[in-house]
Amino acid sequence: MSRLIVVSNRVAPITEGKSTAGGLVVGVLDALRETGGIWLGWSGDISGEPSTAPVTETVDNIDFCTIPLTQRDYDRYYRGFSNGVLWPTFHYRIDLSQYNGEDYKGYVEVNQRFAALLATLAQPTDRLWVHDYHLIPLAQACREQGLDNRIGFFLHIPFPSPSVLRTIPRHRELVLALCQYDLVGFQTQGDTQAFVDYATRHLDGVLEGDILQVGERRIRVGSYPIGIHPDQVKTLSKQSARSKQLDALKAGLQHRKLIVSVDRLDYSKGLVQRFDAFDCLLETAPQHRGKVTLVQIAPPSRQDVQGYRQIRRQLESAAGRINGKWTELSWTPIRYMNRSYERSLLMSFFRASQVGLVTPMRDGMNLVAKEYIASQPADDPGVLVLSEFAGAAAEMQDGAIMVNPFDTKAMADGLDLALRMPLQQRKKRYEHLMEVLRANDLSRWRDRFLGDLES
Ligand code: ADP
Ligand code: G6P
Protein backbone atom coordinates (compact mmCIF):
# COMPACT_ATOMS: atom_id res chain seq x y z
CA MET A 1 0.00 0.00 0.00
CA SER A 2 1.24 3.51 -0.79
CA ARG A 3 2.11 5.41 2.36
CA LEU A 4 2.48 9.14 2.75
CA ILE A 5 5.86 10.30 4.04
CA VAL A 6 6.02 13.96 4.96
CA VAL A 7 9.43 15.56 5.45
CA SER A 8 10.01 18.98 7.00
CA ASN A 9 12.72 20.50 9.13
CA ARG A 10 10.37 21.32 11.99
CA VAL A 11 7.88 18.69 13.13
CA ALA A 12 4.99 19.12 15.54
CA PRO A 13 5.90 18.77 19.22
CA ILE A 14 5.14 15.23 20.22
CA THR A 15 4.32 16.17 23.80
CA GLU A 16 0.59 16.63 24.23
CA GLY A 17 -0.57 20.19 24.92
CA LYS A 18 2.67 21.89 23.82
CA SER A 19 1.99 24.60 21.26
CA THR A 20 4.33 25.82 18.55
CA ALA A 21 4.06 29.01 16.60
CA GLY A 22 4.56 28.43 12.87
CA GLY A 23 2.19 27.87 9.98
CA LEU A 24 3.95 24.80 8.59
CA VAL A 25 3.57 22.71 11.72
CA VAL A 26 -0.01 23.83 12.36
CA GLY A 27 -1.07 23.10 8.75
CA VAL A 28 0.78 19.83 8.22
CA LEU A 29 -0.31 18.41 11.57
CA ASP A 30 -3.98 19.04 10.88
CA ALA A 31 -3.65 17.68 7.34
CA LEU A 32 -1.82 14.50 8.45
CA ARG A 33 -4.17 13.76 11.35
CA GLU A 34 -6.84 12.75 8.84
CA THR A 35 -4.71 10.68 6.47
CA GLY A 36 -2.09 9.26 8.85
CA GLY A 37 1.47 8.71 7.66
CA ILE A 38 5.10 9.15 8.56
CA TRP A 39 6.49 12.56 9.47
CA LEU A 40 10.24 12.85 9.23
CA GLY A 41 12.22 15.83 10.51
CA TRP A 42 14.56 17.38 13.03
CA SER A 43 14.00 16.52 16.69
CA GLY A 44 14.90 20.05 17.81
CA ASP A 45 17.97 18.69 19.60
CA ILE A 46 21.46 19.90 18.62
CA SER A 47 23.58 17.48 20.58
CA GLY A 48 23.53 14.70 17.99
CA GLU A 49 26.26 13.06 15.95
CA PRO A 50 25.89 12.71 12.17
CA SER A 51 25.45 8.98 12.75
CA THR A 52 22.78 9.23 15.48
CA ALA A 53 19.91 6.87 14.68
CA PRO A 54 16.38 8.27 14.26
CA VAL A 55 13.79 7.90 17.00
CA THR A 56 10.25 6.89 16.05
CA GLU A 57 7.20 7.62 18.17
CA THR A 58 3.61 7.04 17.13
CA VAL A 59 0.95 9.51 18.20
CA ASP A 60 -2.59 8.97 16.92
CA ASN A 61 -2.00 7.65 13.43
CA ILE A 62 1.22 9.59 12.74
CA ASP A 63 4.67 7.99 13.05
CA PHE A 64 7.05 10.79 14.02
CA CYS A 65 10.56 9.87 12.93
CA THR A 66 13.09 12.46 14.08
CA ILE A 67 16.85 12.92 14.08
CA PRO A 68 18.97 15.36 16.08
CA LEU A 69 21.36 17.79 14.41
CA THR A 70 24.91 18.50 15.46
CA GLN A 71 25.82 22.02 16.60
CA ARG A 72 27.73 22.41 13.32
CA ASP A 73 24.70 21.33 11.23
CA TYR A 74 22.54 23.72 13.13
CA ASP A 75 24.94 26.62 12.57
CA ARG A 76 25.42 26.01 8.86
CA TYR A 77 22.18 24.40 7.63
CA TYR A 78 19.52 25.95 9.89
CA ARG A 79 20.86 29.23 11.23
CA GLY A 80 23.34 29.95 8.43
CA PHE A 81 21.88 29.13 5.02
CA SER A 82 18.17 28.47 5.71
CA ASN A 83 17.51 31.38 8.05
CA GLY A 84 20.47 33.62 7.23
CA VAL A 85 20.07 33.56 3.42
CA LEU A 86 16.94 31.81 2.11
CA TRP A 87 14.45 33.27 4.60
CA PRO A 88 15.50 36.94 4.23
CA THR A 89 15.96 36.73 0.46
CA PHE A 90 12.67 34.96 -0.20
CA HIS A 91 11.01 37.69 1.93
CA TYR A 92 12.73 40.40 -0.12
CA ARG A 93 15.13 41.40 2.69
CA ILE A 94 18.35 41.02 0.73
CA ASP A 95 19.90 43.61 3.06
CA LEU A 96 19.78 40.96 5.82
CA SER A 97 21.10 38.04 3.75
CA GLN A 98 24.56 36.80 4.84
CA TYR A 99 25.84 34.27 2.34
CA ASN A 100 28.75 32.03 3.18
CA GLY A 101 29.89 29.03 1.09
CA GLU A 102 30.49 26.86 4.17
CA ASP A 103 26.89 27.30 5.29
CA TYR A 104 25.67 26.24 1.87
CA LYS A 105 27.85 23.11 2.10
CA GLY A 106 26.32 22.30 5.49
CA TYR A 107 22.84 22.86 4.04
CA VAL A 108 23.43 20.34 1.26
CA GLU A 109 25.01 17.85 3.69
CA VAL A 110 22.01 17.82 6.03
CA ASN A 111 19.72 17.31 3.04
CA GLN A 112 21.91 14.34 2.04
CA ARG A 113 21.55 12.91 5.54
CA PHE A 114 17.75 13.15 5.35
CA ALA A 115 17.89 11.45 1.93
CA ALA A 116 20.04 8.59 3.26
CA LEU A 117 17.49 8.08 6.00
CA LEU A 118 14.63 8.10 3.48
CA ALA A 119 16.47 5.48 1.42
CA THR A 120 16.25 3.11 4.40
CA LEU A 121 12.64 4.01 5.17
CA ALA A 122 10.73 4.45 1.93
CA GLN A 123 9.14 1.67 -0.07
CA PRO A 124 8.92 2.14 -3.84
CA THR A 125 5.20 2.96 -3.81
CA ASP A 126 5.41 5.57 -1.00
CA ARG A 127 4.65 9.18 -1.87
CA LEU A 128 7.03 11.75 -0.43
CA TRP A 129 5.83 15.24 0.40
CA VAL A 130 8.65 17.65 1.26
CA HIS A 131 7.96 21.01 2.92
CA ASP A 132 9.72 24.33 2.83
CA TYR A 133 12.98 26.08 2.09
CA HIS A 134 15.20 24.03 4.40
CA LEU A 135 14.83 21.04 2.09
CA ILE A 136 15.07 22.36 -1.48
CA PRO A 137 17.89 19.89 -2.45
CA LEU A 138 16.18 16.85 -0.87
CA ALA A 139 14.71 15.34 -4.05
CA GLN A 140 18.06 15.63 -5.80
CA ALA A 141 19.77 13.92 -2.86
CA CYS A 142 17.07 11.22 -2.90
CA ARG A 143 17.58 10.62 -6.62
CA GLU A 144 21.32 10.24 -5.94
CA GLN A 145 20.37 7.55 -3.40
CA GLY A 146 18.45 5.73 -6.13
CA LEU A 147 14.94 6.63 -4.95
CA ASP A 148 12.56 7.11 -7.83
CA ASN A 149 9.39 7.63 -5.80
CA ARG A 150 6.97 10.41 -6.60
CA ILE A 151 8.28 13.41 -4.66
CA GLY A 152 6.37 16.66 -4.24
CA PHE A 153 7.62 19.92 -2.76
CA PHE A 154 5.53 22.65 -1.19
CA LEU A 155 7.01 26.06 -0.40
CA HIS A 156 5.29 27.73 2.55
CA ILE A 157 7.05 31.06 2.05
CA PRO A 158 7.05 33.45 -0.93
CA PHE A 159 9.14 32.70 -4.02
CA PRO A 160 11.01 35.88 -4.99
CA SER A 161 11.27 37.45 -8.42
CA PRO A 162 14.32 36.29 -10.45
CA SER A 163 16.29 39.50 -9.89
CA VAL A 164 16.02 39.04 -6.13
CA LEU A 165 16.71 35.31 -6.23
CA ARG A 166 19.88 35.94 -8.22
CA THR A 167 21.44 37.69 -5.23
CA ILE A 168 21.94 34.19 -3.75
CA PRO A 169 25.20 33.01 -5.32
CA ARG A 170 23.90 29.42 -5.68
CA HIS A 171 20.54 30.41 -7.24
CA ARG A 172 20.98 28.24 -10.31
CA GLU A 173 21.73 25.10 -8.31
CA LEU A 174 18.75 25.75 -6.08
CA VAL A 175 16.30 26.05 -8.94
CA LEU A 176 17.77 23.03 -10.74
CA ALA A 177 17.37 21.10 -7.48
CA LEU A 178 13.69 22.10 -7.38
CA CYS A 179 13.35 20.65 -10.86
CA GLN A 180 14.18 17.19 -9.43
CA TYR A 181 10.74 17.08 -7.80
CA ASP A 182 7.71 15.77 -9.69
CA LEU A 183 5.46 18.53 -8.41
CA VAL A 184 6.46 21.94 -7.03
CA GLY A 185 3.67 23.83 -5.28
CA PHE A 186 3.50 27.44 -4.12
CA GLN A 187 1.11 29.47 -2.00
CA THR A 188 -0.03 31.87 -4.73
CA GLN A 189 -0.17 32.34 -8.45
CA GLY A 190 2.38 35.16 -8.08
CA ASP A 191 4.92 32.81 -6.45
CA THR A 192 4.38 30.19 -9.16
CA GLN A 193 4.88 32.84 -11.83
CA ALA A 194 8.13 34.02 -10.23
CA PHE A 195 9.49 30.46 -10.30
CA VAL A 196 8.43 29.94 -13.91
CA ASP A 197 9.95 33.33 -14.83
CA TYR A 198 13.30 32.25 -13.44
CA ALA A 199 13.17 28.86 -15.20
CA THR A 200 12.23 30.33 -18.56
CA ARG A 201 14.66 33.26 -18.40
CA HIS A 202 17.69 31.57 -16.90
CA LEU A 203 17.32 27.84 -17.63
CA ASP A 204 15.62 27.89 -21.05
CA GLY A 205 12.57 26.30 -19.44
CA VAL A 206 9.33 25.96 -21.39
CA LEU A 207 5.90 26.01 -19.75
CA GLU A 208 2.96 24.17 -21.35
CA GLY A 209 -0.18 24.33 -19.23
CA ASP A 210 1.12 23.44 -15.79
CA ILE A 211 4.05 21.34 -17.02
CA LEU A 212 7.46 22.95 -16.96
CA GLN A 213 10.20 21.42 -19.06
CA VAL A 214 13.77 22.20 -17.98
CA GLY A 215 16.37 20.17 -19.85
CA GLU A 216 15.35 16.52 -19.50
CA ARG A 217 13.05 17.18 -16.54
CA ARG A 218 9.31 17.66 -16.88
CA ILE A 219 7.71 18.84 -13.65
CA ARG A 220 4.29 20.01 -12.67
CA VAL A 221 3.99 23.45 -11.06
CA GLY A 222 1.04 25.20 -9.47
CA SER A 223 -0.41 27.20 -6.63
CA TYR A 224 -1.99 25.44 -3.65
CA PRO A 225 -2.96 28.08 -1.07
CA ILE A 226 -2.83 26.49 2.37
CA GLY A 227 -6.04 26.76 4.40
CA ILE A 228 -7.44 25.92 7.80
CA HIS A 229 -10.38 23.86 9.05
CA PRO A 230 -12.69 26.85 9.70
CA ASP A 231 -15.29 24.92 11.68
CA GLN A 232 -12.68 23.28 13.91
CA VAL A 233 -11.14 26.68 14.58
CA LYS A 234 -14.54 28.10 15.46
CA THR A 235 -15.13 25.26 17.91
CA LEU A 236 -11.71 25.86 19.43
CA SER A 237 -12.43 29.57 19.79
CA LYS A 238 -15.46 28.77 21.96
CA GLN A 239 -13.69 26.18 24.12
CA SER A 240 -11.81 28.71 26.22
CA ALA A 241 -14.80 31.02 26.64
CA ARG A 242 -14.67 30.51 30.42
CA SER A 243 -10.92 30.42 30.91
CA LYS A 244 -9.23 32.52 33.58
CA GLN A 245 -6.84 34.00 31.03
CA LEU A 246 -9.67 35.26 28.82
CA ASP A 247 -11.38 36.72 31.88
CA ALA A 248 -8.14 38.42 32.84
CA LEU A 249 -7.78 39.89 29.36
CA LYS A 250 -11.35 41.21 29.41
CA ALA A 251 -11.02 42.60 32.94
CA GLY A 252 -7.91 44.51 31.89
CA LEU A 253 -9.71 46.01 28.89
CA GLN A 254 -12.50 47.51 31.01
CA HIS A 255 -14.91 47.45 28.03
CA ARG A 256 -12.45 49.11 25.68
CA LYS A 257 -12.22 47.89 22.10
CA LEU A 258 -9.56 45.29 21.41
CA ILE A 259 -7.24 45.07 18.41
CA VAL A 260 -5.32 41.82 18.39
CA SER A 261 -2.17 40.76 16.53
CA VAL A 262 -0.37 37.41 16.76
CA ASP A 263 2.89 36.65 14.98
CA ARG A 264 6.23 34.99 15.51
CA LEU A 265 8.68 37.77 16.33
CA ASP A 266 9.99 38.03 12.77
CA TYR A 267 11.14 41.05 10.74
CA SER A 268 8.90 39.92 7.87
CA LYS A 269 5.78 40.49 9.98
CA GLY A 270 5.90 44.31 9.99
CA LEU A 271 5.61 44.63 13.76
CA VAL A 272 7.36 47.98 14.21
CA GLN A 273 5.42 49.51 11.31
CA ARG A 274 2.22 48.22 12.93
CA PHE A 275 3.02 49.86 16.27
CA ASP A 276 3.78 53.08 14.41
CA ALA A 277 0.40 52.86 12.67
CA PHE A 278 -1.34 52.46 16.02
CA ASP A 279 0.56 55.50 17.31
CA CYS A 280 -0.54 57.39 14.20
CA LEU A 281 -4.18 56.38 14.84
CA LEU A 282 -4.04 57.82 18.35
CA GLU A 283 -2.38 60.95 16.99
CA THR A 284 -4.79 61.59 14.10
CA ALA A 285 -8.08 60.20 15.49
CA PRO A 286 -8.21 61.49 19.10
CA GLN A 287 -11.63 59.91 19.68
CA HIS A 288 -9.87 56.53 20.04
CA ARG A 289 -7.54 57.68 22.85
CA GLY A 290 -8.29 55.72 25.99
CA LYS A 291 -10.92 53.70 24.09
CA VAL A 292 -8.90 51.00 22.39
CA THR A 293 -6.07 48.61 23.29
CA LEU A 294 -3.68 46.80 20.96
CA VAL A 295 -2.65 43.36 22.22
CA GLN A 296 0.41 42.07 20.38
CA ILE A 297 1.39 38.47 21.08
CA ALA A 298 4.80 37.72 19.58
CA PRO A 299 6.71 34.63 20.71
CA PRO A 300 10.45 34.99 20.05
CA SER A 301 11.75 33.09 17.05
CA ARG A 302 15.30 32.26 15.81
CA GLN A 303 16.93 34.46 18.44
CA ASP A 304 20.43 33.36 17.46
CA VAL A 305 20.08 35.03 14.05
CA GLN A 306 21.16 38.66 14.17
CA GLY A 307 18.20 40.15 12.28
CA TYR A 308 15.84 38.65 14.86
CA ARG A 309 17.66 40.08 17.87
CA GLN A 310 17.62 43.45 16.17
CA ILE A 311 13.88 43.43 15.44
CA ARG A 312 13.21 42.45 19.05
CA ARG A 313 15.15 45.46 20.34
CA GLN A 314 13.43 47.77 17.85
CA LEU A 315 10.02 46.52 18.88
CA GLU A 316 10.73 46.87 22.59
CA SER A 317 11.85 50.40 21.99
CA ALA A 318 8.77 51.23 19.85
CA ALA A 319 6.38 49.77 22.47
CA GLY A 320 8.13 51.72 25.24
CA ARG A 321 8.10 54.96 23.27
CA ILE A 322 4.43 54.72 22.26
CA ASN A 323 3.22 53.58 25.67
CA GLY A 324 5.31 56.31 27.31
CA LYS A 325 3.58 58.86 25.12
CA TRP A 326 -0.05 57.75 25.59
CA THR A 327 -0.42 55.64 28.75
CA GLU A 328 -2.78 56.99 31.39
CA LEU A 329 -3.22 55.80 34.97
CA SER A 330 -6.06 53.52 33.87
CA TRP A 331 -5.06 52.69 30.27
CA THR A 332 -2.03 51.08 28.59
CA PRO A 333 -2.45 51.40 24.82
CA ILE A 334 -0.13 48.55 23.73
CA ARG A 335 0.16 45.27 25.57
CA TYR A 336 3.13 43.45 24.15
CA MET A 337 3.77 39.82 25.12
CA ASN A 338 6.60 37.52 24.08
CA ARG A 339 4.97 34.19 24.69
CA SER A 340 3.05 31.31 23.18
CA TYR A 341 -0.51 30.46 24.11
CA GLU A 342 -2.46 27.28 23.84
CA ARG A 343 -4.31 27.26 20.54
CA SER A 344 -7.86 27.42 21.83
CA LEU A 345 -6.96 30.34 24.09
CA LEU A 346 -5.42 32.22 21.21
CA MET A 347 -8.57 31.69 19.13
CA SER A 348 -10.71 32.89 22.06
CA PHE A 349 -8.67 36.12 22.14
CA PHE A 350 -9.45 36.53 18.44
CA ARG A 351 -13.13 35.95 19.18
CA ALA A 352 -13.15 38.55 21.95
CA SER A 353 -11.62 41.28 19.76
CA GLN A 354 -13.10 43.87 17.42
CA VAL A 355 -10.16 44.02 14.98
CA GLY A 356 -7.53 41.51 13.78
CA LEU A 357 -4.46 43.38 12.59
CA VAL A 358 -2.32 41.27 10.23
CA THR A 359 0.19 43.41 8.41
CA PRO A 360 3.30 41.51 7.24
CA MET A 361 5.73 43.21 4.87
CA ARG A 362 5.80 39.83 3.01
CA ASP A 363 4.28 36.50 3.94
CA GLY A 364 3.81 33.19 2.15
CA MET A 365 0.20 32.87 3.32
CA ASN A 366 -0.41 33.93 6.95
CA LEU A 367 -2.68 31.48 8.69
CA VAL A 368 -3.41 33.94 11.50
CA ALA A 369 -5.52 35.98 9.05
CA LYS A 370 -7.65 32.91 8.33
CA GLU A 371 -7.85 31.80 11.96
CA TYR A 372 -8.93 35.29 12.96
CA ILE A 373 -11.98 35.22 10.69
CA ALA A 374 -12.94 31.64 11.56
CA SER A 375 -12.90 32.52 15.28
CA GLN A 376 -15.44 35.33 14.96
CA PRO A 377 -18.99 35.11 16.31
CA ALA A 378 -21.39 35.22 13.33
CA ASP A 379 -23.76 37.67 15.05
CA ASP A 380 -21.09 40.25 15.97
CA PRO A 381 -17.91 39.59 13.97
CA GLY A 382 -14.67 41.51 14.20
CA VAL A 383 -12.94 43.04 11.17
CA LEU A 384 -9.69 41.85 9.56
CA VAL A 385 -7.17 44.52 8.55
CA LEU A 386 -4.80 42.75 6.16
CA SER A 387 -1.58 43.58 4.36
CA GLU A 388 -1.68 43.35 0.60
CA PHE A 389 1.69 41.54 0.81
CA ALA A 390 0.37 38.49 2.67
CA GLY A 391 -0.35 35.45 0.49
CA ALA A 392 -3.79 35.39 2.14
CA ALA A 393 -4.60 38.70 0.38
CA ALA A 394 -5.22 36.87 -2.89
CA GLU A 395 -8.22 35.08 -1.36
CA MET A 396 -9.33 37.55 1.32
CA GLN A 397 -9.05 40.97 -0.31
CA ASP A 398 -12.80 41.34 -0.86
CA GLY A 399 -13.72 40.88 2.79
CA ALA A 400 -10.77 42.35 4.66
CA ILE A 401 -9.72 45.99 4.86
CA MET A 402 -6.61 45.94 2.71
CA VAL A 403 -3.61 48.07 3.69
CA ASN A 404 -0.08 48.71 2.47
CA PRO A 405 2.24 48.17 5.47
CA PHE A 406 4.76 50.62 4.02
CA ASP A 407 2.17 53.42 4.46
CA THR A 408 1.71 54.25 8.15
CA LYS A 409 -1.14 56.72 7.68
CA ALA A 410 -3.06 54.35 5.39
CA MET A 411 -2.76 51.63 8.05
CA ALA A 412 -4.04 54.03 10.71
CA ASP A 413 -6.97 54.94 8.43
CA GLY A 414 -7.69 51.23 7.89
CA LEU A 415 -7.78 50.72 11.65
CA ASP A 416 -10.10 53.68 12.12
CA LEU A 417 -12.44 52.31 9.46
CA ALA A 418 -12.42 48.86 11.08
CA LEU A 419 -13.14 50.25 14.55
CA ARG A 420 -16.11 52.25 13.24
CA MET A 421 -17.60 49.68 10.87
CA PRO A 422 -21.36 49.13 11.34
CA LEU A 423 -22.63 45.64 12.20
CA GLN A 424 -24.32 45.02 8.82
CA GLN A 425 -21.10 45.64 6.91
CA ARG A 426 -19.07 43.54 9.32
CA LYS A 427 -21.48 40.64 8.91
CA LYS A 428 -21.43 40.88 5.14
CA ARG A 429 -17.64 40.82 5.01
CA TYR A 430 -17.45 37.99 7.52
CA GLU A 431 -19.96 35.83 5.66
CA HIS A 432 -18.09 36.29 2.41
CA LEU A 433 -14.75 35.42 4.03
CA MET A 434 -16.16 32.32 5.71
CA GLU A 435 -17.35 31.09 2.31
CA VAL A 436 -13.85 31.61 0.95
CA LEU A 437 -12.27 29.76 3.88
CA ARG A 438 -14.66 26.82 3.58
CA ALA A 439 -14.22 26.54 -0.18
CA ASN A 440 -10.42 26.42 0.16
CA ASP A 441 -9.91 24.59 3.42
CA LEU A 442 -6.99 22.51 4.62
CA SER A 443 -8.37 19.21 3.29
CA ARG A 444 -8.68 20.71 -0.16
CA TRP A 445 -5.08 21.95 0.02
CA ARG A 446 -3.82 18.48 0.90
CA ASP A 447 -6.10 16.60 -1.50
CA ARG A 448 -5.35 18.85 -4.47
CA PHE A 449 -1.62 18.62 -3.87
CA LEU A 450 -1.54 14.86 -3.35
CA GLY A 451 -3.99 14.30 -6.21
CA ASP A 452 -1.74 16.24 -8.59
CA LEU A 453 1.34 14.43 -7.28
CA GLU A 454 -0.38 11.12 -8.00
CA SER A 455 -1.53 11.91 -11.53
P1 ADP B 1 4.37 31.78 10.22
O1 ADP B 1 4.21 30.43 9.61
O2 ADP B 1 5.28 32.67 9.44
O3 ADP B 1 4.74 31.76 11.65
P2 ADP B 1 1.44 31.92 10.02
O4 ADP B 1 0.54 33.04 10.38
O5 ADP B 1 1.17 31.29 8.70
O6 ADP B 1 2.94 32.49 10.14
O7 ADP B 1 1.32 30.75 11.08
C1 ADP B 1 1.54 30.97 12.44
C2 ADP B 1 0.82 29.87 13.22
O8 ADP B 1 1.36 29.84 14.54
C3 ADP B 1 -0.66 30.14 13.36
O9 ADP B 1 -1.38 28.93 13.30
C4 ADP B 1 -0.77 30.78 14.74
O10 ADP B 1 -2.01 30.56 15.37
C5 ADP B 1 0.35 30.11 15.49
N1 ADP B 1 0.90 31.03 16.50
C6 ADP B 1 1.47 32.23 16.27
N2 ADP B 1 1.82 32.83 17.43
C7 ADP B 1 1.46 31.99 18.42
C8 ADP B 1 1.53 32.05 19.84
N3 ADP B 1 2.01 33.10 20.49
N4 ADP B 1 1.07 30.99 20.53
C9 ADP B 1 0.57 29.92 19.88
N5 ADP B 1 0.46 29.83 18.55
C10 ADP B 1 0.90 30.84 17.82
C1 G6P C 1 7.52 29.47 9.07
C2 G6P C 1 8.26 28.55 8.14
C3 G6P C 1 8.35 27.14 8.74
C4 G6P C 1 8.92 27.22 10.13
C5 G6P C 1 8.16 28.21 11.01
C6 G6P C 1 8.75 28.39 12.40
O1 G6P C 1 6.23 29.01 9.18
O2 G6P C 1 7.60 28.50 6.87
O3 G6P C 1 9.16 26.31 7.94
O4 G6P C 1 8.91 25.94 10.75
O5 G6P C 1 8.14 29.47 10.36
O6 G6P C 1 10.11 28.67 12.32
P1 G6P C 1 11.25 27.72 12.95
O7 G6P C 1 12.53 28.26 12.41
O8 G6P C 1 11.10 27.85 14.42
O9 G6P C 1 10.98 26.32 12.49
Side-chain angles (χ1 to χ4, degrees):
M1 210 186 66
S2 158
R3 299 176 305 174
L4 175 61
I5 305 182
V6 164
V7 194
S8 60
N9 174 64
R10 182 75 67 187
V11 302
I14 298 167
T15 327
E16 186 71 27
K18 248 189 122 193
S19 68
T20 342
L24 183 153
V25 158
V26 170
V28 171
L29 181 64
D30 275 356
L32 253 185
R33 268 194 185 126
E34 289 173 3
T35 54
I38 299 172
W39 191 348
L40 174 66
W42 172 39
S43 63
D45 181 6
I46 50 168
S47 61
E49 293 295 324
S51 57
T52 310
V55 171
T56 303
E57 273 180 79
T58 305
V59 180
D60 299 328
N61 51 350
I62 307 172
D63 296 328
F64 289 91
C65 177
T66 56
I67 50 168
L69 294 178
T70 65
Q71 178 70 49
R72 189 151 182 265
D73 292 334
Y74 176 87
D75 289 341
R76 298 190 304 165
Y77 149 81
Y78 175 79
R79 184 166 63 82
F81 194 68
S82 297
N83 289 316
V85 177
L86 292 177
W87 181 275
T89 307
F90 281 36
H91 288 86
Y92 287 79
R93 287 299 304 270
I94 52 180
D95 57 314
L96 295 177
S97 173
Q98 292 191 313
Y99 177 79
N100 160 340
E102 263 307 302
D103 291 344
Y104 182 70
K105 228 173 122 204
Y107 175 75
V108 173
E109 275 172 27
V110 171
N111 273 268
Q112 286 166 341
R113 203 166 318 141
F114 274 112
L117 185 57
L118 280 166
T120 64
L121 206 78
Q123 288 154 17
T125 53
D126 291 343
R127 294 158 302 163
L128 272 51
W129 189 4
V130 178
H131 293 260
D132 238 358
Y133 57 103
H134 314 86
L135 299 174
I136 290 173
L138 187 59
Q140 185 163 17
C142 285
R143 306 293 181 213
E144 285 160 10
Q145 291 277 343
L147 286 174
D148 64 357
N149 299 56
R150 288 273 163 103
I151 316 182
F153 178 85
F154 181 74
L155 185 70
H156 289 252
I157 68 175
F159 194 87
S161 70
S163 56
V164 171
L165 184 63
R166 284 176 56 232
T167 61
I168 302 179
R170 312 306 274 260
H171 55 92
R172 191 181 162 85
E173 276 166 61
L174 288 167
V175 179
L176 284 171
L178 278 175
C179 294
Q180 292 299 318
Y181 287 92
D182 297 297
L183 167 64
V184 180
F186 300 92
Q187 297 276 24
T188 66
Q189 197 50 47
D191 298 317
T192 313
Q193 190 57 51
F195 174 70
V196 170
D197 283 350
Y198 181 98
T200 48
R201 264 188 239 167
H202 300 292
L203 300 172
D204 294 330
V206 178
L207 183 72
E208 267 180 48
D210 58 357
I211 302 295
L212 178 68
Q213 171 113 29
V214 173
E216 301 283 290
R217 296 284 310 162
R218 280 169 67 77
I219 65 167
R220 181 177 280 219
V221 294
S223 68
Y224 302 83
I226 192 168
I228 58 168
H229 286 309
D231 297 314
Q232 284 178 20
V233 169
K234 190 169 295 296
T235 308
L236 271 181
S237 74
K238 295 178 194 168
Q239 263 170 20
S240 294
R242 290 205 175 77
S243 76
K244 281 197 189 113
Q245 287 104 319
L246 183 63
D247 283 349
L249 172 71
K250 285 183 178 164
L253 288 173
Q254 294 175 334
H255 304 291
R256 291 186 184 95
K257 288 195 170 171
L258 170 62
I259 302 173
V260 71
S261 290
V262 172
D263 319 72
R264 276 182 310 101
L265 216 177
D266 194 299
Y267 49 78
S268 65
K269 302 290 183 183
L271 297 159
V272 174
Q273 291 83 349
R274 183 183 304 164
F275 281 13
D276 286 344
F278 186 62
D279 180 27
C280 177
L281 173 79
L282 299 176
E283 193 74 63
T284 55
Q287 67 276 22
H288 295 299
R289 293 179 200 160
K291 302 277 181 358
V292 59
T293 296
L294 168 63
V295 168
Q296 171 71 60
I297 299 172
S301 183
R302 308 175 195 159
Q303 286 298 291
D304 45 9
V305 180
Q306 200 198 346
Y308 289 80
R309 290 196 296 271
Q310 198 182 338
I311 188 71
R312 189 169 184 174
R313 282 195 300 273
Q314 285 170 353
L315 200 57
E316 277 160 7
S317 137
R321 174 173 48 78
I322 298 163
N323 275 340
K325 180 166 158 195
W326 298 109
T327 297
E328 291 165 10
L329 290 176
S330 60
W331 172 57
T332 309
I334 300 181
R335 300 230 203 139
Y336 169 50
M337 288 170 273
N338 292 128
R339 51 161 296 182
S340 285
Y341 280 98
E342 208 240 308
R343 225 170 133 60
S344 76
L345 200 55
L346 209 57
M347 305 302 132
S348 76
F349 295 166
F350 290 161
R351 191 175 174 84
S353 72
Q354 283 63 49
V355 180
L357 186 55
V358 182
T359 53
M361 313 310 280
R362 273 289 155 179
D363 213 331
M365 173 53 63
N366 200 294
L367 288 185
V368 168
K370 295 187 169 182
E371 291 165 348
Y372 181 80
I373 289 300
S375 300
Q376 295 310 303
D379 58 352
D380 187 15
V383 180
L384 176 66
V385 176
L386 180 63
S387 159
E388 59 190 82
F389 300 111
E395 294 159 90
M396 302 181 85
Q397 60 192 352
D398 288 340
I401 292 181
M402 300 306 299
V403 292
N404 182 334
F406 295 88
D407 186 341
T408 311
K409 178 68 169 64
M411 273 201 282
D413 291 346
L415 271 176
D416 178 48
L417 193 65
L419 287 164
R420 289 187 294 106
M421 191 176 287
L423 179 63
Q424 272 321 92
Q425 260 193 55
R426 283 190 276 128
K427 275 185 167 172
K428 217 170 134 206
R429 285 172 182 258
Y430 162 80
E431 280 156 18
H432 168 72
L433 286 173
M434 279 304 280
E435 269 175 39
V436 170
L437 296 187
R438 288 203 175 103
N440 237 349
D441 71 0
L442 192 63
S443 305
R444 183 169 141 83
W445 170 70
R446 178 198 57 214
D447 294 345
R448 275 190 62 225
F449 189 93
L450 292 177
D452 285 352
L453 179 62
E454 206 69 63
S455 62

